[in-house]
Protein backbone atom coordinates (compact mmCIF):
# COMPACT_ATOMS: atom_id res chain seq x y z
CA UNK A 1 0.00 0.00 0.00
CA UNK A 2 1.31 3.43 -0.93
CA UNK A 3 2.24 5.50 2.12
CA UNK A 4 0.39 8.74 2.84
CA UNK A 5 -0.66 10.70 5.91
CA UNK A 6 -3.98 8.86 5.82
CA UNK A 7 -2.18 5.53 6.32
CA UNK A 8 -0.31 6.65 9.47
CA UNK A 9 -1.34 4.30 12.29
CA UNK A 10 -3.25 5.66 15.26
CA UNK A 11 -0.78 7.45 17.54
CA UNK A 12 -2.97 7.39 20.65
CA UNK A 13 -0.80 6.87 23.73
CA UNK A 14 2.47 7.88 22.03
CA UNK A 15 4.48 10.78 23.44
CA UNK A 16 6.58 12.79 20.99
CA UNK A 17 9.02 15.65 21.51
CA UNK A 18 9.71 17.84 18.48
CA UNK A 19 12.26 20.66 18.40
CA UNK A 20 11.46 23.72 16.30
CA UNK A 21 7.77 22.83 16.52
CA UNK A 22 6.23 26.30 16.26
CA UNK A 23 6.81 26.79 12.52
CA UNK A 24 7.76 25.14 9.25
CA UNK A 25 8.39 21.40 9.15
CA UNK A 26 8.04 21.09 12.92
CA UNK A 27 4.59 22.67 12.99
CA UNK A 28 3.38 20.53 10.08
CA UNK A 29 4.68 17.41 11.80
CA UNK A 30 3.04 18.41 15.06
CA UNK A 31 -0.32 18.95 13.35
CA UNK A 32 -0.34 15.47 11.83
CA UNK A 33 0.79 13.66 14.98
CA UNK A 34 -1.79 15.46 17.13
CA UNK A 35 -4.51 14.70 14.59
CA UNK A 36 -3.49 11.05 14.88
CA UNK A 37 -3.91 11.17 18.65
CA UNK A 38 -0.36 11.61 19.95
CA UNK A 39 0.73 13.72 22.87
CA UNK A 40 3.18 16.18 21.32
CA UNK A 41 5.62 18.21 23.39
CA UNK A 42 6.43 21.23 21.25
CA UNK A 43 9.98 22.42 21.79
CA UNK A 44 10.12 26.12 20.88
CA UNK A 45 12.66 28.91 21.32
CA UNK A 46 9.93 31.52 21.79
CA UNK A 47 7.15 30.97 24.34
CA UNK A 48 5.02 33.56 22.53
CA UNK A 49 5.26 31.60 19.26
CA UNK A 50 4.65 28.38 21.14
CA UNK A 51 1.43 29.72 22.66
CA UNK A 52 0.24 31.02 19.29
CA UNK A 53 1.00 27.73 17.54
CA UNK A 54 -0.63 25.63 20.26
CA UNK A 55 -3.79 27.79 20.17
CA UNK A 56 -4.00 27.30 16.42
CA UNK A 57 -3.58 23.55 16.78
CA UNK A 58 -6.12 23.26 19.61
CA UNK A 59 -8.66 25.19 17.57
CA UNK A 60 -8.19 22.97 14.53
CA UNK A 61 -8.51 19.56 16.22
CA UNK A 62 -8.93 17.87 19.58
CA UNK A 63 -7.62 14.37 18.90
CA UNK A 64 -4.27 14.49 20.69
CA UNK A 65 -2.68 16.50 23.46
CA UNK A 66 -0.35 19.49 23.09
CA UNK A 67 2.30 20.58 25.55
CA UNK A 68 5.17 22.96 25.01
CA UNK A 69 8.61 23.57 26.45
CA UNK A 70 10.91 26.53 25.93
CA UNK A 71 14.23 25.38 24.54
CA UNK A 72 16.98 27.50 23.05
CA UNK A 73 19.35 25.12 21.29
CA UNK A 74 22.08 27.75 21.20
CA UNK A 75 22.52 27.30 24.96
CA UNK A 76 23.21 23.88 26.50
CA UNK A 77 21.98 25.13 29.87
CA UNK A 78 18.56 25.53 28.21
CA UNK A 79 18.85 22.05 26.71
CA UNK A 80 19.59 20.58 30.15
CA UNK A 81 16.65 22.49 31.65
CA UNK A 82 14.26 21.26 28.96
CA UNK A 83 15.35 17.65 29.49
CA UNK A 84 14.79 18.02 33.24
CA UNK A 85 11.28 19.36 32.61
CA UNK A 86 10.41 16.44 30.34
CA UNK A 87 11.82 13.88 32.79
CA UNK A 88 9.86 15.45 35.66
CA UNK A 89 6.54 15.16 33.84
CA UNK A 90 7.02 12.04 31.71
CA UNK A 91 8.48 8.68 32.59
CA UNK A 92 8.80 7.54 28.98
CA UNK A 93 9.12 8.94 25.46
CA UNK A 94 8.13 7.25 22.20
CA UNK A 95 9.47 9.68 19.64
CA UNK A 96 12.12 12.39 19.44
CA UNK A 97 12.26 14.44 16.25
CA UNK A 98 15.42 16.56 16.02
CA UNK A 99 13.85 19.04 13.62
CA UNK A 100 14.99 22.55 14.59
CA UNK A 101 17.75 24.23 12.65
CA UNK A 102 19.28 27.44 11.41
CA UNK A 103 20.63 28.12 7.95
CA UNK A 104 23.53 30.24 6.73
CA UNK A 105 23.60 33.18 9.17
CA UNK A 106 26.57 35.53 9.52
CA UNK A 107 29.18 33.95 11.79
CA UNK A 108 27.89 34.03 15.34
CA UNK A 109 28.67 31.95 18.41
CA UNK A 110 26.50 29.86 20.71
CA UNK A 111 26.42 30.53 24.46
CA UNK A 112 29.19 27.95 24.84
CA UNK A 113 31.33 29.70 22.20
CA UNK A 114 30.86 27.38 19.22
CA UNK A 115 30.00 28.26 15.64
CA UNK A 116 26.23 28.65 15.74
CA UNK A 117 25.17 26.23 13.00
CA UNK A 118 27.39 23.42 14.25
CA UNK A 119 26.18 24.11 17.80
CA UNK A 120 22.44 24.31 17.12
CA UNK A 121 21.99 21.89 14.25
CA UNK A 122 24.33 19.18 15.52
CA UNK A 123 25.77 19.49 19.03
CA UNK A 124 22.59 20.55 20.85
CA UNK A 125 20.57 17.78 19.20
CA UNK A 126 23.23 15.22 20.07
CA UNK A 127 23.15 16.35 23.71
CA UNK A 128 19.35 16.35 23.74
CA UNK A 129 19.17 12.86 22.26
CA UNK A 130 21.71 11.28 24.60
CA UNK A 131 20.06 12.88 27.63
CA UNK A 132 16.61 11.61 26.58
CA UNK A 133 17.70 8.07 25.68
CA UNK A 134 16.80 6.68 29.12
CA UNK A 135 13.18 7.75 28.54
CA UNK A 136 13.17 6.46 24.97
CA UNK A 137 14.61 3.13 26.09
CA UNK A 138 11.55 2.61 28.30
CA UNK A 139 9.49 2.04 25.17
CA UNK A 140 9.83 -0.81 22.71
CA UNK A 141 9.62 0.66 19.22
CA UNK A 142 10.69 4.16 20.23
CA UNK A 143 12.45 6.24 17.58
CA UNK A 144 14.82 9.16 17.14
CA UNK A 145 14.41 10.95 13.81
CA UNK A 146 17.16 13.43 13.00
CA UNK A 147 16.32 15.91 10.26
CA UNK A 148 19.17 16.63 7.89
CA UNK A 149 19.15 18.32 4.47
CA UNK A 150 20.15 17.67 0.89
CA UNK A 151 23.16 19.84 1.79
CA UNK A 152 24.62 16.73 3.46
CA UNK A 153 25.75 15.59 -0.01
CA UNK A 154 27.85 18.75 -0.47
CA UNK A 155 29.15 18.91 3.08
CA UNK A 156 32.62 18.22 4.42
CA UNK A 157 33.77 17.99 8.02
CA UNK A 158 36.59 20.50 8.34
CA UNK A 159 38.62 18.71 10.99
CA UNK A 160 41.28 21.43 10.98
CA UNK A 161 38.77 24.24 11.56
CA UNK A 162 35.59 22.65 12.92
CA UNK A 163 34.31 25.92 14.39
CA UNK A 164 35.21 28.05 11.32
CA UNK A 165 37.55 30.18 13.43
CA UNK A 166 40.03 30.79 10.63
CA UNK A 167 37.69 30.94 7.64
CA UNK A 168 33.90 31.19 7.70
CA UNK A 169 31.77 30.41 4.69
CA UNK A 170 28.17 30.36 5.91
CA UNK A 171 26.98 27.84 3.31
CA UNK A 172 29.94 25.51 3.85
CA UNK A 173 29.29 25.68 7.60
CA UNK A 174 25.61 24.89 7.01
CA UNK A 175 26.47 21.89 4.83
CA UNK A 176 28.96 20.69 7.46
CA UNK A 177 26.26 20.84 10.16
CA UNK A 178 23.78 18.94 7.98
CA UNK A 179 26.38 16.28 7.18
CA UNK A 180 27.02 16.06 10.92
CA UNK A 181 23.28 15.41 11.42
CA UNK A 182 23.23 12.34 9.19
CA UNK A 183 26.58 11.11 10.53
CA UNK A 184 25.21 11.37 14.07
CA UNK A 185 21.99 9.54 13.12
CA UNK A 186 23.94 6.66 11.56
CA UNK A 187 26.46 6.40 14.41
CA UNK A 188 23.62 6.52 16.94
CA UNK A 189 22.07 3.58 15.10
CA UNK A 190 25.37 1.71 15.55
CA UNK A 191 25.49 2.45 19.29
CA UNK A 192 21.85 1.48 19.80
CA UNK A 193 22.26 -1.83 17.97
CA UNK A 194 25.43 -2.60 19.93
CA UNK A 195 23.61 -2.10 23.23
CA UNK A 196 20.50 -4.03 22.11
CA UNK A 197 18.44 -0.90 22.67
CA UNK A 198 14.67 -0.78 22.12
CA UNK A 199 15.17 2.54 20.31
CA UNK A 200 15.77 3.09 16.58
CA UNK A 201 17.68 5.95 14.94
CA UNK A 202 16.50 7.19 11.55
CA UNK A 203 17.10 10.28 9.44
CA UNK A 204 15.02 12.38 7.07
CA UNK A 205 15.52 15.37 4.82
CA UNK A 206 12.83 17.64 3.32
CA UNK A 207 14.32 18.39 -0.08
CA UNK A 208 13.67 21.98 -1.13
CA UNK A 209 10.81 22.98 1.16
CA UNK A 210 9.56 26.51 1.63
CA UNK A 211 9.87 27.36 5.33
CA UNK A 212 10.91 30.34 7.43
CA UNK A 213 14.57 29.30 7.03
CA UNK A 214 14.85 31.14 3.72
CA UNK A 215 13.32 34.42 4.90
CA UNK A 216 15.33 34.31 8.14
CA UNK A 217 18.55 33.79 6.21
CA UNK A 218 17.77 36.68 3.85
CA UNK A 219 16.99 39.00 6.77
CA UNK A 220 20.07 37.97 8.75
CA UNK A 221 22.42 38.55 5.82
CA UNK A 222 20.57 41.48 4.22
CA UNK A 223 21.21 39.83 0.85
CA UNK A 224 19.20 40.95 -2.17
CA UNK A 225 21.10 38.42 -4.28
CA UNK A 226 19.88 35.59 -2.04
CA UNK A 227 16.33 36.93 -2.15
CA UNK A 228 16.47 37.07 -5.95
CA UNK A 229 17.88 33.53 -6.15
CA UNK A 230 15.08 32.17 -3.98
CA UNK A 231 12.53 33.96 -6.16
CA UNK A 232 13.96 32.29 -9.27
CA UNK A 233 13.84 28.91 -7.50
CA UNK A 234 10.18 29.25 -6.49
CA UNK A 235 8.90 26.69 -9.04
CA UNK A 236 11.06 23.92 -7.60
CA UNK A 237 10.23 24.53 -3.93
CA UNK A 238 7.64 22.30 -2.31
CA UNK A 239 5.43 23.23 0.61
CA UNK A 240 6.42 22.84 4.25
CA UNK A 241 3.75 20.13 4.51
CA UNK A 242 5.38 18.12 1.71
CA UNK A 243 8.79 18.74 3.27
CA UNK A 244 7.55 17.29 6.57
CA UNK A 245 6.37 14.02 5.02
CA UNK A 246 9.78 12.25 5.07
CA UNK A 247 10.16 12.77 8.82
CA UNK A 248 6.55 11.72 9.41
CA UNK A 249 7.17 8.55 7.40
CA UNK A 250 10.38 7.82 9.35
CA UNK A 251 8.60 8.53 12.63
CA UNK A 252 5.48 6.42 12.13
CA UNK A 253 5.72 3.75 9.45
CA UNK A 254 6.10 0.17 10.74
CA UNK A 255 8.17 -0.65 7.67
CA UNK A 256 10.90 1.93 8.39
CA UNK A 257 14.06 0.55 9.98
CA UNK A 258 16.84 1.95 12.12
CA UNK A 259 19.76 3.26 10.07
CA UNK A 260 17.60 4.38 7.14
CA UNK A 261 17.06 7.85 5.70
CA UNK A 262 13.93 9.13 3.99
CA UNK A 263 13.54 12.06 1.60
CA UNK A 264 11.60 13.27 -1.45
CA UNK A 265 11.36 10.82 -4.33
CA UNK A 266 12.94 13.27 -6.78
CA UNK A 267 15.70 14.52 -4.45
CA UNK A 268 14.37 18.07 -4.18
CA UNK A 269 10.63 17.37 -4.11
CA UNK A 270 8.01 14.66 -4.32
CA UNK A 271 6.42 12.06 -2.10
CA UNK A 272 8.69 10.57 0.58
CA UNK A 273 10.70 7.42 0.03
CA UNK A 274 13.78 5.60 1.27
CA UNK A 275 16.77 7.56 -0.02
CA UNK A 276 20.55 7.36 -0.21
CA UNK A 277 22.89 8.59 2.51
CA UNK A 278 25.88 10.92 2.07
CA UNK A 279 28.98 8.74 1.55
CA UNK A 280 30.88 10.21 4.52
CA UNK A 281 28.03 9.17 6.81
CA UNK A 282 28.64 5.59 5.69
CA UNK A 283 32.31 5.86 6.68
CA UNK A 284 32.47 4.34 10.16
CA UNK A 285 35.89 5.84 10.94
CA UNK A 286 34.72 9.36 10.12
CA UNK A 287 31.48 8.86 12.07
CA UNK A 288 33.33 7.61 15.15
CA UNK A 289 35.73 10.54 14.95
CA UNK A 290 32.86 13.03 14.85
CA UNK A 291 31.09 11.25 17.73
CA UNK A 292 34.22 11.35 19.92
CA UNK A 293 35.02 14.97 19.07
CA UNK A 294 31.43 16.10 19.64
CA UNK A 295 31.11 14.25 22.91
CA UNK A 296 34.37 15.73 24.18
CA UNK A 297 32.96 19.21 23.51
CA UNK A 298 29.66 18.40 25.21
CA UNK A 299 31.15 16.69 28.25
CA UNK A 300 32.28 20.05 29.64
CA UNK A 301 28.72 21.43 29.68
CA UNK A 302 26.29 18.52 29.82
CA UNK A 303 26.44 16.41 33.00
CA UNK A 304 25.97 12.63 32.91
CA UNK A 305 25.97 12.43 29.12
Amino acid sequence: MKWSVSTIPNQQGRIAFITGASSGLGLETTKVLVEKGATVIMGCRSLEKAHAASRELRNSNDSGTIEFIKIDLSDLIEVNRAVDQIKTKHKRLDLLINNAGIMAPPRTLSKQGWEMQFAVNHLAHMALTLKLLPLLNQQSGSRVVTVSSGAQFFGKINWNDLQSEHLYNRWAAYAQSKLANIMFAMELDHHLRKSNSKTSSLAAHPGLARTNLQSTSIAANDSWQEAFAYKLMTPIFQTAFMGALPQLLAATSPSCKSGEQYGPRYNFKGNPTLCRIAPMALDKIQREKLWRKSKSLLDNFVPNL
Side-chain angles (χ1 to χ4, degrees):
M1 180 172 61
K2 185 178 179 181
W3 185 90
S4 70
V5 166
S6 64
T7 66
I8 292 177
N10 189 302
Q11 299 295 296
Q12 195 76 37
R14 295 189 87 201
I15 302 172
F17 179 46
I18 305 174
T19 63
S22 64
S23 63
L25 306 179
L27 182 58
E28 296 295 338
T29 301
T30 299
K31 286 178 182 177
V32 172
L33 292 178
V34 172
E35 287 170 0
K36 294 291 181 176
T39 292
V40 177
I41 308 166
M42 300 176 67
C44 306
R45 188 165 59 89
S46 163
L47 282 178
E48 183 179 351
K49 288 183 178 179
H51 281 292
S54 63
R55 282 196 299 270
E56 176 188 338
L57 290 169
R58 288 189 178 109
N59 290 335
S60 65
N61 72 84
D62 58 0
S63 298
T65 302
I66 300 166
E67 302 174 10
F68 53 87
I69 284 179
K70 183 179 185 297
I71 181 169
D72 181 351
L73 293 168
S74 70
D75 185 357
L76 290 178
I77 294 174
E78 287 271 333
V79 173
N80 289 330
R81 186 181 298 127
V83 170
D84 289 342
Q85 285 182 263
I86 293 171
K87 286 184 174 180
T88 297
K89 186 166 185 179
H90 298 282
K91 302 307 176 188
R92 61 179 178 83
L93 191 64
D94 297 87
L95 179 60
L96 169 62
I97 301 184
N98 293 321
N99 164 82
I102 55 175
M103 182 177 74
R107 188 175 190 273
T108 49
L109 301 180
S110 71
K111 292 289 172 60
Q112 282 69 44
W114 301 318
E115 189 277 314
M116 188 66 81
Q117 296 182 90
F118 192 75
V120 170
N121 295 351
H122 169 56
L123 289 173
H125 279 123
M126 180 174 180
L128 182 69
T129 301
L130 297 184
K131 293 283 282 185
L132 287 174
L133 272 182
L135 291 188
L136 288 156
N137 283 332
Q138 296 296 318
Q139 287 296 101
S140 181
S142 58
R143 299 184 186 190
V144 177
V145 178
T146 300
V147 181
S148 183
S149 158
Q152 66 182 265
F153 298 105
F154 311 109
K156 295 181 180 179
I157 303 297
N158 188 348
W159 298 114
N160 296 321
D161 191 17
L162 200 58
Q163 304 299 333
S164 304
E165 296 174 288
H166 303 295
L167 177 65
Y168 180 69
N169 177 300
R170 59 195 178 97
W171 289 108
Y174 175 69
Q176 174 179 255
S177 73
K178 293 287 100 180
L179 175 59
N181 283 153
I182 184 66
M183 291 174 73
F184 167 68
M186 296 303 104
E187 187 62 13
L188 179 62
D189 166 64
H190 169 73
H191 282 257
L192 293 172
R193 289 177 188 270
K194 190 175 179 180
S195 64
N196 295 314
S197 173
K198 300 176 182 178
T199 304
S200 299
S201 173
L202 301 94
H205 79 84
L208 277 176
R210 179 70 71 182
T211 69
N212 62 329
L213 280 181
Q214 293 87 24
S215 57
T216 300
S217 177
I218 291 168
N221 294 283
D222 192 23
S223 172
W224 68 265
Q225 297 97 330
E226 191 172 326
F228 182 67
Y230 283 136
K231 189 172 183 179
L232 289 177
M233 293 167 63
T234 293
I236 62 174
F237 273 100
Q238 59 182 2
T239 64
F241 172 75
M242 287 296 294
L245 293 184
Q247 61 200 60
L248 280 164
L249 172 59
T252 64
S253 175
S255 65
C256 293
K257 297 179 177 62
S258 191
E260 295 179 337
Q261 177 173 226
Y262 291 83
R265 182 173 300 277
Y266 303 109
N267 296 322
F268 297 123
K269 64 194 305 183
N271 290 319
T273 188
L274 182 66
C275 70
R276 67 190 182 95
I277 293 167
M280 187 174 285
L282 299 174
D283 186 327
K284 193 174 186 306
I285 294 174
Q286 295 294 307
R287 289 200 322 256
E288 288 178 343
K289 185 176 181 179
L290 179 65
W291 183 283
R292 289 194 305 270
K293 179 63 177 176
S294 300
K295 195 169 182 304
S296 71
L297 292 171
L298 292 172
D299 281 341
N300 294 321
F301 302 97
V302 185
N304 305 315
L305 194 60

